Amino acid sequence: VPQGLLRLARKSGQLNLAGRGLTHVPEHVWRINVDTPEEAQQNLSFGAADRWWEQTDLTKLILASNKLQSLSEDVQLLPALTMLDVHDNQLTSLPSALGQLENLQKLDVSHNKLRSLPEELLQLPRLRSLLVQHNELSQLPEGLGQLLSLEELDVSNNQLTAIPTSFALLVNLVRLNLACNQLKELPADLSAMKSLRQLDCTKNYLETVPPKLATMASLEQLYLRRNKLRSLPEFPSCKLLKELHAGENQIEILNAENLKQLSSLCVLELRDNKIKAVPEEITVLQKLERLDLANNDISRLPYTLGNLPQLKFLALEGNPLRTIRRDLLQKGTQELLKYLRSKIQDDGPGPNEEPPVTAMTLPSQSKVNIHAITTLKLLEYSDKQAAEIPEAVFDAVGAHAVATVNFSKNQLREIPPRLVELKDSVCDLSLGFNKISSISLELCLLQKLTHLDLRNNVLTALPEEMEALKRLHTINLAFNRFKVFPSVLYHLPALETILLSNNQVGSIDPMQLKGMDKLGTLDLQNNDLLQVPPELGNCEQLRSLLLEGNPFRTPRAAVLAKGTAAVLEYLRSRIPS
């Protein structure tokens, strides 16, 4: 550690040693306030600026992003520390001497390999922020509730299966992050946290939320995404709740009574559930600004939704809506609300009656939307659960040039052969959410294709004949059954984006990828990559490389979290010279 840095630290009380590749902390750092500085021993004459005997005690020490495997007990020689940051190292334990830093207010030990926290940590009377996310903790100290000054606690991305009951004592806690653990339930005692404003329980195994939590009067943001909830919890006392995120659960019913209690709600996010109906009472949410109901089973909406005065964003795609034309959904929230309001005036059918078959329902019910073909150059037959595309759909195209084809969300088992009739004009083809198991040669004749969406099918391979798609620049193959990276992709020179997440790909060829000059995005999340070849670091054309959710050991999550440039640099550093 350069002497100049230490000199500055003595004046400012702050020392930043982040990202220096340190495997241990030099002893003179711990002793910075104990030992006489070197310059004093050299018997020099001092200007006013260098009067070392007027030094300031160290209050902030940053050791983040190094290679530290342990911290010395000598940390107790810095009793004035108010902030200690050692995130992104390789620590497996913490020294018990931390408990003697009675002025410590913020401790960041996130992104390490900690399996436990020392009991001595509970002796820090002034600790306000404790960040331990991204470690390997399977439990927390039972007495954690003794940290009465705590305002922020982040234990996300660990392996916790339970929360200590003493949490109830943390009455000053404002933010609590429990996301990405293995919690099956929350203790009802959490309701004693009277100051809690933000609670994040994303990605656990919660099936219910304790009714007592509803008494948390200060709660403003609640994240329950990616759990196993079957119904929306009740919140009678949460009068300040502004954001409720409960997407990716198994919620089937929106209870009108529950909605009535959420008068302050601005954001309600319920996408990817199994909700069948939206109650008229949703209109009591007068402050609602964002409502996300995408990918549910909603077949009709209450027209009174159009009367919500603050609503700026309404997401409904992926629902089997009967009374709303698809092109209307694509025009955005304001047009949609305007349409819903216009329907309130009509003495149209009530929300529970079958709508009459009129001009209003025809475009989405009928087989072909001629208007879309002629003006939008769009051929759409999606979300019909059809086993094949009716002949009438292709017949309707006639001499018109169709640029976009959307046959997603059906039950197709093969590529519709008549697609070849559109080969002179179609650029964008969507066949996602079907049951297609192989790619026919007809598809390889669509040589104007630039975008191809085949996500959520049962594909295991792509034919070499796809090499003919020289203009293809985006391909989406997520959620299929690929066990190997489709080799034909290496031979498509125009490819800019390859989305291959959620397959079972075990390896990639970095030399071939390097030859793909245009490739900017490569998504390989949630595959079976056991290792990442260091040579991938030479693919400097990549602007977005996504590798999370694979079983490889390195690069570690902390490196992945820093983004693509850092991952590529890390991989280059591992290439054997």
Side-chain angles (χ1 to χ4, degrees):
V1 176
Q3 285 299 322
L5 258 186
L6 294 177
R7 262 205 303 281
L8 278 173
R10 286 195 192 95
K11 277 188 215 161
S12 67
Q14 303 185 7
L15 179 57
N16 185 346
L17 298 174
R20 289 179 169 264
L22 300 176
T23 53
H24 68 282
V25 180
E27 195 177 350
H28 57 260
V29 170
W30 299 127
R31 302 184 62 85
I32 187 170
N33 296 145
V34 180
D35 295 345
T36 313
E38 249 177 55
E39 61 265 35
Q41 293 157 1
Q42 291 163 7
N43 210 3
L44 303 169
S45 59
F46 292 103
D50 283 330
R51 301 220 298 247
W52 56 266
W53 55 88
E54 292 180 356
Q55 68 176 15
T56 308
D57 280 350
L58 202 61
T59 57
K60 280 189 181 173
L61 177 57
I62 300 175
L63 297 164
S65 302
N66 282 294
K67 296 174 182 171
L68 304 174
Q69 293 182 356
S70 63
L71 286 182
S72 160
E73 296 285 346
D74 285 346
V75 69
Q76 65 197 31
L77 299 174
L78 300 172
L81 275 188
T82 59
M83 191 265 258
L84 176 60
D85 180 354
V86 286
H87 82 265
D88 187 21
N89 277 285
Q90 294 160 25
L91 300 175
T92 53
S93 64
L94 296 174
S96 53
L98 275 180
Q100 297 180 36
L101 303 179
E102 56 181 37
N103 291 299
L104 202 60
Q105 295 176 18
K106 177 171 182 176
L107 177 60
D108 186 348
V109 292
S110 61
H111 293 275
N112 278 287
K113 297 178 174 178
L114 299 174
R115 298 241 163 113
S116 63
L117 298 177
E119 292 288 331
E120 288 80 3
L121 208 60
L122 311 178
Q123 298 161 14
L124 298 171
R126 295 187 173 85
L127 196 63
R128 294 214 303 257
S129 171
L130 177 57
L131 307 178
V132 293
Q133 68 269 30
H134 289 278
N135 276 287
E136 296 168 13
L137 301 172
S138 55
Q139 61 187 60
L140 296 171
E142 199 47 57
L144 203 67
Q146 294 167 38
L147 296 171
L148 296 179
S149 301
L150 216 51
E151 295 173 10
E152 175 181 36
L153 176 59
D154 190 339
V155 294
S156 61
N157 290 281
N158 279 286
Q159 293 148 27
L160 302 174
T161 53
I163 297 298
T165 45
S166 70
F167 260 43
L169 302 171
L170 300 174
V171 290
N172 291 307
L173 203 63
V174 175
R175 283 186 298 282
L176 174 58
N177 191 343
L178 303 170
C180 302
N181 279 290
Q182 294 162 23
L183 302 173
K184 292 191 173 155
E185 57 185 9
L186 295 175
D189 302 345
L190 286 187
S191 58
M193 296 180 174
K194 294 301 176 210
S195 307
L196 200 64
R197 293 210 293 264
Q198 186 183 66
L199 175 58
D200 190 344
C201 302
T202 304
K203 203 176 178 196
N204 278 284
Y205 300 113
L206 302 176
E207 293 182 13
T208 56
V209 172
K212 230 173 144 186
L213 241 57
T215 60
M216 301 178 79
S218 300
L219 202 59
E220 293 179 6
Q221 294 175 307
L222 178 59
Y223 294 83
L224 295 166
R225 303 190 78 241
R226 300 180 74 178
N227 278 285
K228 301 194 169 194
L229 300 176
R230 294 190 171 278
S231 62
L232 203 56
E234 293 184 35
F235 300 102
S237 304
C238 300
K239 299 284 184 244
L240 298 178
L241 196 64
K242 294 185 173 64
E243 296 189 21
L244 175 56
H245 300 260
E248 291 186 65
N249 278 286
Q250 294 158 24
I251 298 171
E252 295 185 8
I253 294 174
L254 274 189
N255 187 325
E257 285 307 306
N258 295 12
L259 292 175
K260 285 178 183 169
Q261 299 149 0
L262 300 172
S263 53
S264 297
L265 210 61
C266 305
V267 177
L268 180 56
E269 189 264 305
L270 293 166
R271 63 183 300 128
D272 296 285
N273 276 290
K274 299 175 177 176
I275 297 167
K276 294 187 167 52
V278 179
E280 292 277 346
E281 286 78 358
I282 196 146
T283 52
V284 301
L285 306 180
Q286 287 288 299
K287 294 184 179 169
L288 204 60
E289 295 175 17
R290 294 177 67 85
L291 176 59
D292 189 344
L293 295 166
N295 302 326
N296 276 284
D297 298 333
I298 300 165
S299 55
R300 53 170 60 89
L301 283 179
Y303 295 139
T304 46
L305 202 58
N307 283 337
L308 285 175
Q310 310 287 330
L311 199 60
K312 299 180 182 67
F313 173 85
L314 174 60
L316 293 167
E317 66 272 12
N319 280 292
L321 289 166
R322 293 190 199 152
T323 51
I324 295 178
R325 297 196 312 273
R326 200 56 42 89
D327 60 319
L328 191 61
L329 288 181
Q330 290 166 351
K331 285 183 180 169
T333 300
Q334 292 315 314
E335 286 294 311
L336 187 53
L337 295 178
K338 203 156 102 184
Y339 167 80
L340 290 171
R341 281 196 295 275
S342 75
K343 288 289 147 205
I344 300 172
Q345 277 88 42
D346 301 357
D347 290 324
N352 299 321
E353 297 167 34
E354 272 299 315
V357 177
T358 63
M360 178 181 118
T361 47
L362 270 174
S364 67
Q365 304 277 80
S366 69
K367 296 216 165 114
V368 198
N369 186 339
I370 303 290
H371 168 76
I373 294 175
T374 52
T375 58
L376 303 174
K377 299 190 173 176
L378 162 69
L379 179 61
E380 174 156 38
Y381 194 81
S382 68
D383 217 351
K384 307 277 191 219
Q385 304 308 311
E388 50 188 41
I389 305 297
E391 301 294 328
V393 172
F394 288 102
D395 295 344
V397 175
H400 295 288
V402 167
T404 305
V405 175
N406 181 2
F407 291 160
S408 65
K409 295 189 180 169
N410 282 296
Q411 305 278 327
L412 305 178
R413 292 181 181 277
E414 58 175 15
I415 307 278
R418 285 187 66 183
L419 267 177
V420 72
E421 296 170 18
L422 312 175
K423 69 180 186 344
D424 294 330
S425 60
V426 68
C427 317
D428 189 333
L429 173 59
S430 182
L431 289 163
F433 299 92
N434 278 289
K435 295 181 175 174
I436 298 169
S437 56
S438 65
I439 300 297
S440 63
L441 298 183
E442 283 94 345
L443 183 80
C444 307
L445 298 172
L446 306 178
Q447 295 186 9
K448 296 220 165 140
L449 268 192
T450 57
H451 291 74
L452 177 57
D453 187 347
L454 290 162
R455 74 183 113 166
N456 292 72
N457 278 286
V458 287
L459 295 168
T460 54
L462 297 180
E464 291 302 321
E465 286 80 358
M466 277 180 72
E467 207 176 327
L469 303 179
K470 296 290 185 214
R471 296 189 188 181
L472 193 64
H473 66 68
T474 300
I475 187 163
N476 190 343
L477 299 167
F479 291 96
N480 275 283
R481 298 189 184 165
F482 290 97
K483 290 200 165 133
V484 292
F485 190 96
S487 57
V488 67
L489 297 183
Y490 296 129
H491 308 305
L492 293 171
L495 268 184
E496 295 171 17
T497 300
I498 298 177
L499 306 178
L500 242 177
S501 69
N502 296 282
N503 280 281
Q504 296 148 35
V505 174
S507 64
I508 44 176
D509 184 340
M511 310 314 271
Q512 301 244 44
L513 283 170
K514 188 172 183 328
M516 301 178 74
D517 302 338
K518 300 266 177 62
L519 190 63
T521 299
L522 176 59
D523 184 352
L524 290 164
Q525 294 178 99
N526 302 324
N527 275 283
D528 291 346
L529 295 174
L530 282 168
Q531 58 220 32
V532 182
E535 294 76 14
L536 189 60
N538 289 329
C539 298
E540 296 185 42
Q541 76 274 30
L542 285 174
R543 291 187 305 282
S544 176
L545 171 63
L546 302 169
L547 296 168
E548 285 80 0
N550 279 284
F552 55 75
R553 289 280 177 82
T554 55
R556 287 184 32 244
V559 177
L560 297 181
K562 290 181 189 169
T564 299
V567 172
L568 294 176
E569 190 179 343
Y570 169 86
L571 290 170
R572 284 196 294 279
S573 76
R574 313 270 295 199
I575 297 175
S577 47

